[in-house]
Amino acid sequence: MATTTRAQKEALPFRRVTPTRRGQRPAVALGRLNGHLGYFVRRAQIWIFQDFIRTLARIDISPAQFSVLIVIGANHGLSQIEIAAALGIERARLVRLLHRLESRALIRRLPSSADRRRHALQLTPHGRTVLALAKTLAARHEKRLINKLGAEHHQFLLDTLRDF
Amino acid sequence: MATTTRAQKEALPFRRVTPTRRGQRPAVALGRLNGHLGYFVRRAQIWIFQDFIRTLARIDISPAQFSVLIVIGANHGLSQIEIAAALGIERARLVRLLHRLESRALIRRLPSSADRRRHALQLTPHGRTVLALAKTLAARHEKRLINKLGAEHHQFLLDTLRDF
DNA sequence: TATTGTTATACTCTATAACTATA
DNA sequence: TATAGTTATAGAGTATAACAATA
């Protein structure tokens, strides 16, 4: 918003400011980019993550941390490799994510009964409390998305993007 | 979808592998993540970018480089700050992107006639050739997406995600 | 031999801050 | 004073490789 005056300031009046859809985009042609879904998916992802991060800023939970906490909370003693596979992240990266969550006392790594190579992951009581709050804030974020897109479009996006 | 097996899982060998849509996702409950668009947009973005990168691997053009080349090619002597604003990237990051493209002789930074602080950006003849090939390969990538989603869903996604 | 968790490395991306040369 | 391009830094994310303990 309020970025619509950029062009006028420049050399001479010859730079026509086309009134773009939301007054956000400058008068620069995107050419073939307009037909490429990847470009718009990327921009949408950035927008959504920024809103998510802002909404959960006071409990300092990132989208990645949120997804890990949700999956640990919704399952029973998962191993790290199972979580990594479910969320499509590298197991090496998950190690660092879990270190942080463990150092904040949100999760615990218990020895797995069956296989001593594995850890069985759990939320701590404090982790459950924080996750509950995170869910409330995340729902607020999602409501903002629903308002922006309309409930049907939101649901359609959810259904369609699940295929990836 | 496919999150209904949580209870059964906890007991013994009954770890039923629910036949998920594409046989990709393991039998781990995603819980609330299922209602969050950001999660699926992120996964879709990663999938799409990986396919794009693979498809353009032989000319070594990344999604970011492609978007920069497209915008330079579709406009007339843009400044760096205009490109950065159009694509929603930091001007500091654009500097490094352009260094690479310039060192590969795909673009040129010409002095701007009106404002000596600015560069006027152009494709080189070689840049035009590479961009033409990049467009062909990118179209092949996009066709794959259209086949995956169906033409109507693809168009709908394009229209809906443009709002961000 | 293979797998799980771990450490380490490298490269990209994002977010800033600060510098210079121009305006 | 402000802006355009640049440099530098720090943190996240991604992609690998390799190692120890265990299977």
Side-chain angles (χ1 to χ4, degrees), chain A residues 14-70:
Chain A
F14 302 125
R15 186 149 194 104
R16 196 158 36 120
V17 178
T18 57
T20 50
R21 187 183 332 267
R22 290 190 132 68
Q24 299 254 42
R25 305 254 223 286
V28 172
L30 292 180
R32 290 281 188 95
L33 246 30
N34 282 300
H36 283 293
L37 193 49
Y39 176 71
F40 294 103
V41 169
R42 176 65 176 153
R43 294 202 63 140
Q45 185 256 304
I46 292 170
W47 193 100
I48 293 171
F49 270 37
Q50 281 177 349
D51 187 78
F52 185 97
I53 291 166
R54 232 179 292 123
T55 310
L56 278 77
R58 65 190 173 86
I59 56 173
D60 191 27
I61 297 291
S62 70
Q65 291 172 329
F66 182 69
S67 66
V68 169
L69 291 174
I70 288 278

Side-chain angles (χ1 to χ4, degrees), chain B:
Chain B
M1 322 224 124
T3 59
T4 47
T5 52
R6 188 177 321 143
Q8 296 98 320
K9 227 182 4 178
E10 323 215 325
L12 300 176
F14 307 123
R15 186 162 183 87
R16 191 159 43 124
V17 178
T18 57
T20 49
R21 187 185 329 268
R22 294 192 128 69
Q24 299 256 40
R25 304 253 224 287
V28 172
L30 293 179
R32 288 282 188 96
L33 245 30
N34 281 299
H36 283 293
L37 193 50
Y39 175 70
F40 295 102
V41 169
R42 175 64 175 153
R43 294 201 63 140
Q45 186 256 304
I46 291 170
W47 192 100
I48 294 171
F49 271 37
Q50 281 176 349
D51 187 78
F52 185 97
I53 291 166
R54 234 179 291 123
T55 309
L56 278 79
R58 64 189 173 89
I59 55 173
D60 192 28
I61 297 291
S62 71
Q65 290 173 329
F66 181 70
S67 67
V68 170
L69 291 174
I70 287 279
V71 168
I72 293 177
N75 297 273
H76 175 238
L78 286 185
S79 70
Q80 296 185 192
I81 214 158
E82 287 171 308
I83 295 174
L87 293 175
I89 61 185
E90 285 296 319
R91 73 193 201 279
R93 197 193 151 215
L94 185 61
V95 170
R96 289 191 300 273
L97 273 168
L98 292 175
H99 277 342
R100 284 259 204 123
L101 296 175
E102 198 173 30
S103 75
R104 290 173 63 183
L106 299 174
I107 63 143
R108 261 195 300 252
R109 297 188 230 217
L110 302 177
S112 170
S113 43
D115 185 336
R116 285 193 332 234
R117 291 173 304 184
R118 297 188 174 216
H119 298 156
L121 294 167
Q122 278 191 353
L123 296 177
T124 62
H126 179 233
R128 276 193 290 276
T129 304
V130 170
L131 178 54
L133 180 49
K135 283 177 178 172
T136 303
L137 295 173
R140 202 172 296 168
H141 152 77
E142 203 66 28
K143 199 153 287 171
R144 206 171 295 126
L145 272 182
I146 294 170
N147 285 340
K148 184 183 177 66
L149 293 163
E152 290 118 42
H153 283 193
H154 179 269
Q155 186 59 48
F156 185 89
L157 287 172
L158 228 36
D159 295 339
T160 308
L161 296 175
R162 216 183 292 273
D163 291 345
F164 285 97

Side-chain angles (χ1 to χ4, degrees), chain A residues 46-112:
Chain A
I46 292 170
W47 193 100
I48 293 171
F49 270 37
Q50 281 177 349
D51 187 78
F52 185 97
I53 291 166
R54 232 179 292 123
T55 310
L56 278 77
R58 65 190 173 86
I59 56 173
D60 191 27
I61 297 291
S62 70
Q65 291 172 329
F66 182 69
S67 66
V68 169
L69 291 174
I70 288 278
V71 168
I72 293 176
N75 297 274
H76 176 237
L78 286 185
S79 70
Q80 295 184 192
I81 214 157
E82 287 171 309
I83 295 174
L87 293 175
I89 61 185
E90 286 296 319
R91 72 194 201 280
R93 197 192 152 216
L94 185 61
V95 171
R96 290 192 300 274
L97 273 167
L98 292 175
H99 277 343
R100 282 261 204 118
L101 297 175
E102 197 173 31
S103 76
R104 290 171 65 182
L106 299 174
I107 62 143
R108 261 195 300 252
R109 296 188 232 219
L110 301 178
S112 171

